[in-house]
Amino acid sequence: MPDLQSTVDAIAAEMAARPDRGDVATYIPELGRVDPGQFGIAVALADGRVVAAGDAEMTFSIQSVSKVFTLTLALGLAGDRLWNRVGREPSGSRFNSIVQLEHERGVPRNPFINAGAIVVTDHILSGHQPKEALGEILRFLRFLAGDETILIDRAVAASEERTGFNNRALANFMKGNGVLDNPVDPVLGVYFHHCAIAMTARQLAKAGSFLAHRGRHPETGFSVVTPERARRINAIMLTCGHYDGSGEFAYRVGLPGKSGVGGGILAIVPGKASIAVWSPGLDAAGNSHLGRIALEKLTARMGWSIFGGEGDAASR
Ligand code: DON
């Protein structure tokens, strides 16, 4: 197997040289200001080591990648009852589709499309003040990443509060169908703020590590979730983590992954590694353009696809 550090160094150099960078998200005005020239990659290993290259120490808005962590928290609170109010099928639609939600009488297809993540947030909020719920999410990420400096980017959250009309429509429609327990405003407040958490690729790779190691936090040995739950969260990441780009991501990369419109992707190599890549330019489905290409190269070169792939030298 090739050396991991030289492999990620080579990929970072290849990504830096590419002219095709995708387009930054502009529907959240604050994200539209980010320089698309950046690329970072970090790979967290079983012994807690992190192998990184490029802009791996730059913070970015994790956006929908936060949905992996809120799903984990909500499953811890509600257990399988969560699945009464949100499905676990790929959507085949855009992440913010309203049409699909109406068809399905307000029950979102999966916890990673916006409507589904809003239901998950509603669960976390129940019985708490919005500040407490957000504190819980932030503490969870800080513990997982082993880093107390992780913060919410207030400017990004405010930007989305001002312009999140589509999310407000989704939430109101679900409220009208009895799918949300709490009032729409505080649910969206918590949702916008957890999407606005800012992390580096290094922090994000570490935070995802429990999913690569049967639910165990590698550095402390603490059991974050059961092995069964880690396996199931990975399954949902594989089938739903890239919205209507999930099939393409499985085909090209072959790992459970979750993207965000900030340009981050968290990908899990079960038993081996947790990978975070970040490049702010997006493809047509709203997923990081270079992030996906970098992961495709990394899995091919390391033989890390969950579908096998030793010897696919032609795609390297
Ligand atoms: O709700 C939104 O639209 C954003 N806060 C998050 C969307 C997102 O990251 C979709 N992922 N690619």
Side-chain angles (χ1 to χ4, degrees), residues 247-268:
E248 186 70 5
F249 189 81
Y251 178 83
R252 290 186 175 278
V253 176
L255 295 177
K258 180 75 208 81
S259 68
V261 288
I265 303 177
L266 172 67
I268 304 300

Side-chain angles (χ1 to χ4, degrees), residues 18 27 67 155 157 167 211 222 225 233 249 288 299 314:
R18 282 182 79 114
Y27 76 101
K67 297 171 182 175
N167 282 325
L211 292 170
F222 181 78
V225 295
I233 294 170
F249 189 81
S288 175
T299 48

Side-chain angles (χ1 to χ4, degrees), residues 216-274:
R216 231 171 242 288
H217 185 248
E219 276 172 303
T220 60
F222 181 78
S223 169
V224 181
V225 295
T226 61
E228 180 190 44
R229 185 157 288 161
R231 171 166 60 77
R232 290 180 159 166
I233 294 170
N234 283 333
I236 299 169
M237 288 172 75
L238 181 79
T239 53
C240 310
H242 283 70
Y243 314 105
D244 49 342
S246 298
E248 186 70 5
F249 189 81
Y251 178 83
R252 290 186 175 278
V253 176
L255 295 177
K258 180 75 208 81
S259 68
V261 288
I265 303 177
L266 172 67
I268 304 300
V269 192
K272 291 200 172 72
S274 162

